[in-house]
Amino acid sequence: MFLINCPYCGERDQSEFSAGGEAHIVRPKQPTELSDNQWAEFLFMRKNIKGVQFERWNHSHGCRKWFNMVRDTSNDKIHAVYKMGEKPPIK
Amino acid sequence: MSKNLRITNNRFIDQTSKISFKFDGKTLYGFKGDTLASALLANNIHLVGRSFKYHRPRGIMTCGSEEPNAIVQLGKDPSMTEPNTRATEIELYEGLEASSQNCWPSVNFDIGAINNFFSPLIPAAFYYKTFMWPANFWKLYEYFIRKSAGLGKSPSQPDKDIYDHRYLHCDVLVVGGGISGIMAAKTAAKNNLNTVLMDDKNTLGGTTLFQQNECFKINNSYSNEWIKKEIKTLNSFKNLTIKTRTSLAAYHSYNYLLARENLTDHLDLNEKKDKIRQRLWKIRAKKVIIATGAMERPLIFNNNDRPGIILSSSIKKYIDYYGVKCGKKISLFTNNDSAYETAISLNNSGVSVNSVVDIRDKTNSLIVKQAEKLGIKIHWKSSVVNTNGYKKINSIEIMKLSDDNTATVGKKIIEECDCLGISGGWTPRVHLFTQSGGKLKFRDEDNVFLPDKSELDQISIGSCNGDFELDEVIKNSVKLTNNFLKVNNNDYENLEIISSKEIDKKNIWLLPSDIPLGKTKPFLDFQNDSTANDVKLALREGFKSIEHVKRYTTTGMATDQGKLSNMHALGIIAETAGVKMGELGTTTFRPPYTPLTFGVIVGRNVGEFFDITRKTPMHDWHVDKKAEFENVGQWKRAWYYPIDNENMHEAVQRESKAARDSAGILDASTLGKIDIQGSDVSEFLNRVYTNAWSKLEIGKCRYGLMLNEDGMVYDDGVTTRLSENHYLMTTTTGGAANVLSKLEDYLQTEWPELDVYLTSVTDHYGTVSICGPNSKKILSKVIPDLDLSDKEFPHMSFKNALIDNIKCRVMRISFTGELSYEINIQSSYAKSVWEKCFDAGKKFNITPYGTETMHLLRAEKGFIIAGQDTDGTMTPVDLQMDWIISKKKYDFIGKRSLYRSDTIREDRKQLVGLLTEDPNEILEEGAQIVGKTNKQPTEMLGHVTSSYFSPNLNKSIALAVIRNGKKLKGQKMFVPMKNKTISVTITDTVFLDKENKRLNA
């Protein structure tokens, strides 16, 4: 059970949060101009990394804010949390 | 009670307070402070159960949580009885009742014991191999196997006990109250850290508490006297919480731990009443110190499972702590020094020790010398090759070991005994460490797995970290704790410690015997009855991975999770396969460390607290009218309102007819309501709905369909423009929370530039929906000031109004196809408005209707219910709702997906109407639809999604999804049911009032 440092509320128990999949996938601005393959790439293809992964999380039972997290999936270590729209603090 | 099995000068058990208890129906006596196991042993009862597979007699083997044999059924009350409890952990109380498990008709005469004679025919995986075929016989096999197997009986009635959950936050959590744990807790507390110390026993002190031996002294006192003084000093710290009878069950990442505290299990029956029985602590610790100690290993030799064979250190605890002699003529069998501590304790208490059988060559450690001084006989370099006695051990057979330790040599010595203590060395309890994700390393010198790397802020100290000598335990625990907590506690510097040191170490995983291995029974896993032979067989049959061998032989898979058996299984596998144990690895230890009751897992979340129940403001009215309720998500919705003895069908027919003929009233309060404000709301709605919203005027309502990005229908509802920048969106009842979070997601992550604010107001307003040709007349009586003319208040529009000076919003929208109004009013007034409408409608036979009638009425009109007629694979085009997809909008959620190669396929499943050939035949929802009946197997073309008997059309109607359905209109199809095949015709989805005349009736 993680202890997650919500960028708005501070440290809270994982049970207050919900995970929202891979981060930094930008919704295409002009979907109509994409081929089926390009659209499918955005719609379906997600990474499933063993190691450092960038993820979206939502403080769903708290402030309801979405934010990003850098987490190592191999040991669940959270390296950073940062607000939506911000650049990842680590690469 | 056999008095001569108790020694009198005992300091831990109050021999003045006698307790009566029942075991297998027989009344026995023990003392306050006993465990069930120690009391049984004091009554000379060793045989407490039968083994799982061979039904061999089994006795108490340990004194703690690792007990494999003495698992008993506790209590008789069908709501309170508890199976698989360990007699070694149950504290005795007045009125306790326990019984043996896995035996019939009794533990002394067990019919299943015949399995023991057939045991050569029941090898590892016998059940897998034998009952595989014929496949359809499994049902028969299963019945008998389940009857004869099984450990204990689960309670048949709801648990009456109270359980509880609590959170706990601390700087330092110390797990284990032995000598290392006590020193660590004191060090933490002294340095002003908020500290918690937990131990699963009822007192602190571990085994040091009763260690009174010349060979183990601290500052010139026996170590037990020293530890007692230390325990006393702990009480002075206000920042130290001590929890005894509290067992750490699980250790998760981020130092999140679960512990079970037993609050009343040790109390007398009448004292338990109305108190919380067990509490689950949910702990978040900044730092964790694991000091869980080590457990003694058995030795693996022929017939090592007879009642009376007990771990040597347990015999020591029974005599030193409980004052109970495990036998009158005790022999000991060991590969290490600790059995000599037992020998000395027994000797000091006046129990005669036959001999110590030691597989090592003569060794000269302090403790061995002391034992020799006391005249205890030692068989060096010898092994027990067999034991005798059926229900209890009566003799052992001793032989010398050959020089290469692979065989036995010389003359066999038979030694009579009534108890055999065995010691195969020590296994550090690393379970919690590995549960937390820690990696282990192997120490070859004494064959132990030790904590190595961990990602968490934790350390292991004491014997769970591989320190087995008293001086090393103290020295290393202090050093590690000081470093870990970054403090400098010098209380334990310059202690004068006397500690016997083990000089010689030797280990043989599977001891040799004078008879061939195949004819012996060297048990590894006592609870699951697997032997060393089973493991060897598995290896011969080609199993290599430890995880596979474990599952194939079930070694380590019983309720004790193989606490005693795992190391030997690994050792034998490594030896047989010729690999190093360190390379083999271990199986995974999973929480809980010891079994938890379901009660403590669910805590207070039982019965009505299991899940939230949401009720509308009008709920009590529905109850008064004897409505039947339907669960929709967490909501209780009125389903139908039976009058007299009406069944559901009759009630729904009556309600549906009344709503169309005159007037009906529906509680629509559960629909999700989202208040949307901001200057960009119309642009936002344009992006989330498929249709166009830019031109929606103030005071107008519009129906919208929401898709997922994959183009599939997600939710639907009506949104009203209340004022320039203020909208009210409704969603389906079940979808409300998900829609809100989806919209929030887009607003926060994709379109942060939009000035839009979302607030859930579902619970803030109650909604009264009145429909039917007379609804206008009724509403005009409730709100006389409101102009209800079609010109002023047309379909799909909204008005602010006052009812008794209370503001409300009235929408003219319809889900039934009838003229219909919805009044939204602050929840606290909703019931009174409902009653007002009902009273005003009495003249028109206003009929309350529930969700079932609502579903029927909308089906007559072919309106979909998202989630019933859609299932996450339906696009608006599949639903024949092309009209709602804006061609002009550049983008909306899911738009691009509507012309992917898959979504433009013409043969997708599409929503159609169905009429049965026999108008009285009602289809079953979910029934499959086929095109032909003369061909088998036939292709499934689709299924029925909604089906009703329409009283207004006087025939059965249904909605269905059928492959290529749009083009099949007018075609005949078949719905094959169990006893008949129903002929149907594909039709349009709208069955009633295609011209929508009734909306303006």
Side-chain angles (χ1 to χ4, degrees), chain A residues 13 27 56 66 76 78, chain B residues 254 284 709 745 748 896:
Chain A
D13 196 275
R27 188 171 187 275
R56 286 154 29 95
W66 283 88
D76 285 340
I78 298 170
Chain B
Y254 288 81
R284 192 72 81 164
E709 206 68 272
D745 187 355
Q748 289 180 32
R896 175 61 185 83

Side-chain angles (χ1 to χ4, degrees), chain A residues 14-28:
Chain A
Q14 185 189 345
S15 56
E16 293 184 18
F17 297 83
S18 43
E22 192 181 337
H24 302 297
I25 294 175
V26 182
R27 188 171 187 275

Side-chain angles (χ1 to χ4, degrees), chain B residues 294-517:
Chain B
M295 58 196 159
E296 198 167 24
R297 292 176 191 166
L299 287 164
I300 311 303
F301 55 99
N302 189 22
N303 290 321
N304 59 344
D305 67 325
R306 300 201 188 282
I309 300 180
I310 304 178
L311 294 182
S312 145
S313 62
S314 299
I315 295 178
K316 181 174 185 313
K317 181 163 185 181
Y318 284 121
I319 192 77
D320 286 345
Y321 185 86
Y322 297 104
V324 173
K325 304 171 195 173
C326 291
K328 290 173 191 164
K329 289 180 290 176
I330 299 180
S331 300
L332 295 164
F333 182 24
T334 188
N335 69 0
N336 68 90
D337 272 3
S338 43
Y340 295 90
E341 294 175 31
T342 309
I344 293 162
S345 282
L346 288 169
N347 193 285
N348 291 349
S349 297
V351 183
S352 74
V353 177
N354 292 331
S355 69
V356 179
V357 182
D358 196 325
I359 68 168
R360 299 175 297 177
D361 290 316
K362 185 166 167 32
T363 176
N364 281 313
S365 62
L366 198 56
I367 190 114
V368 172
K369 279 195 227 158
Q370 202 200 346
E372 283 176 327
K373 207 158 69 184
L374 293 170
I376 293 166
K377 192 167 135 201
I378 304 168
H379 298 279
W380 293 111
K381 209 189 171 190
S382 299
S383 176
V384 175
V385 294
N386 193 14
T387 66
N388 301 301
Y390 184 57
K391 284 177 194 165
K392 186 158 174 211
I393 189 166
N394 57 28
S395 68
I396 56 173
E397 299 171 14
I398 306 165
M399 285 177 84
K400 282 262 177 225
L401 282 166
S402 66
D403 283 338
D404 64 355
N405 297 313
T406 58
T408 50
V409 291
K411 226 182 101 190
K412 198 184 272 182
I413 303 167
I414 310 272
E415 189 170 278
E416 276 183 30
C417 65
D418 58 355
C419 174
L420 174 67
I422 51 175
S423 176
W426 293 85
T427 300
R429 290 183 205 259
V430 294
H431 304 69
L432 291 176
F433 175 80
T434 51
Q435 273 184 25
S436 76
K439 299 277 174 286
L440 299 173
K441 62 185 174 202
F442 190 72
R443 188 165 75 191
D444 290 305
E445 167 197 331
D446 50 358
N447 295 297
V448 288
F449 282 101
L450 296 174
D452 189 12
K453 288 192 190 87
S454 167
E455 300 283 345
L456 305 181
D457 211 354
Q458 64 164 355
I459 49 163
S460 296
I461 58 169
S463 54
C464 73
N465 195 36
D467 290 326
F468 296 125
E469 312 287 12
L470 181 64
D471 54 341
E472 281 169 23
V473 167
I474 295 176
K475 205 177 75 195
N476 292 339
S477 295
V478 169
K479 201 169 92 189
L480 286 166
T481 307
N482 276 339
N483 284 344
F484 179 60
L485 300 178
K486 299 190 180 69
V487 297
N488 189 18
N489 181 14
N490 48 20
D491 283 2
Y492 305 114
E493 273 174 27
N494 309 319
L495 289 182
E496 210 177 289
I497 303 166
I498 296 172
S499 172
S500 170
K501 292 265 202 188
E502 191 167 86
I503 302 164
D504 295 304
K505 295 184 193 306
K506 182 172 176 183
N507 184 52
I508 304 172
W509 291 115
L510 174 58
L511 290 154
S513 173
D514 56 326
I515 38 178
L517 180 67

Side-chain angles (χ1 to χ4, degrees), chain A residues 1-3 13 27 30-36 39 43 56 64-66 75-78 84, chain B residues 252-254 256 284 455 709-710 744-745 748-750 758 890-893 896-897 899-901:
Chain A
M1 189 84 84
F2 310 163
L3 194 61
D13 196 275
R27 188 171 187 275
Q30 295 169 316
T32 45
E33 281 159 34
L34 301 182
S35 69
D36 267 13
W39 179 247
L43 192 57
R56 286 154 29 95
R64 280 179 27 203
K65 284 280 193 188
W66 283 88
N75 58 18
D76 285 340
K77 205 165 194 169
I78 298 170
M84 280 294 160
Chain B
H252 298 290
S253 59
Y254 288 81
Y256 181 75
R284 192 72 81 164
E455 300 283 345
E709 206 68 272
D710 61 7
E744 275 288 350
D745 187 355
Q748 289 180 32
T749 66
E750 299 295 347
L758 307 172
Y890 180 72
D891 192 15
F892 55 81
I893 296 172
R896 175 61 185 83
S897 291
Y899 53 94
R900 286 177 53 233
S901 57

Side-chain angles (χ1 to χ4, degrees), chain B residues 492-727:
Chain B
Y492 305 114
E493 273 174 27
N494 309 319
L495 289 182
E496 210 177 289
I497 303 166
I498 296 172
S499 172
S500 170
K501 292 265 202 188
E502 191 167 86
I503 302 164
D504 295 304
K505 295 184 193 306
K506 182 172 176 183
N507 184 52
I508 304 172
W509 291 115
L510 174 58
L511 290 154
S513 173
D514 56 326
I515 38 178
L517 180 67
K519 293 192 173 159
T520 62
K521 279 248 167 309
F523 281 92
L524 270 183
D525 186 327
F526 296 86
Q527 197 174 120
N528 260 358
D529 251 7
S530 68
T531 64
N533 306 353
D534 293 327
V535 169
K536 290 204 166 213
L537 175 69
L539 291 167
R540 278 204 303 280
E541 290 185 357
F543 289 92
K544 287 198 178 82
S545 148
I546 169 71
E547 296 285 356
H548 290 158
V549 174
K550 166 181 157 179
R551 279 158 184 80
Y552 190 61
T553 62
T554 72
T555 304
M557 290 178 71
T559 62
D560 60 354
Q561 282 196 45
K563 290 189 180 76
L564 289 186
S565 59
N566 281 341
M567 284 308 293
H568 292 92
L570 287 170
I572 290 167
I573 292 167
E575 219 167 62
T576 313
V579 293
K580 281 193 162 171
M581 266 184 90
E583 288 159 18
L584 198 63
T586 59
T587 56
T588 316
F589 299 113
R590 291 195 172 83
Y593 177 68
T594 47
L596 294 177
T597 56
F598 281 112
V600 82
I601 293 170
V602 297
R604 304 264 170 162
N605 303 319
V606 288
E608 59 178 319
F609 300 116
F610 179 68
D611 195 14
I612 293 161
T613 303
R614 298 173 80 180
K615 293 173 181 166
T616 72
M618 297 78 124
H619 185 84
D620 291 345
W621 192 93
H622 309 321
V623 172
D624 284 345
K625 286 285 184 294
K626 310 239 166 7
E628 291 291 332
F629 288 89
E630 175 182 33
N631 294 328
V632 184
Q634 293 169 325
W635 286 101
K636 292 274 170 212
R637 293 200 73 177
W639 195 9
Y640 57 96
Y641 300 79
I643 295 175
D644 300 329
N645 292 321
E646 272 180 340
N647 61 22
M648 175 163 154
H649 178 76
E650 290 160 351
V652 169
Q653 294 293 304
R654 172 182 50 76
E655 291 170 13
S656 305
K657 195 117 180 55
R660 292 226 189 270
D661 288 352
S662 178
I665 182 165
L666 171 82
D667 180 357
S669 308
T670 62
L671 282 189
K673 298 183 263 300
I674 302 172
D675 184 280
I676 310 180
Q677 301 191 37
S679 54
D680 294 322
V681 179
S682 70
E683 171 60 21
F684 176 68
L685 294 174
N686 264 335
R687 296 186 192 183
V688 299
Y689 281 129
T690 60
N691 48 347
W693 289 77
S694 315
K695 289 180 184 151
L696 183 70
E697 292 166 30
I698 295 169
K700 296 288 184 209
C701 315
R702 185 163 290 172
Y703 173 77
L705 206 55
M706 200 181 284
L707 310 185
N708 268 330
E709 206 68 272
D710 61 7
M712 304 304 159
V713 172
Y714 182 65
D715 203 83
D716 66 345
V718 169
T719 298
T720 305
R721 189 169 189 181
L722 303 171
S723 66
E724 177 68 26
N725 293 327
H726 190 186
Y727 293 69

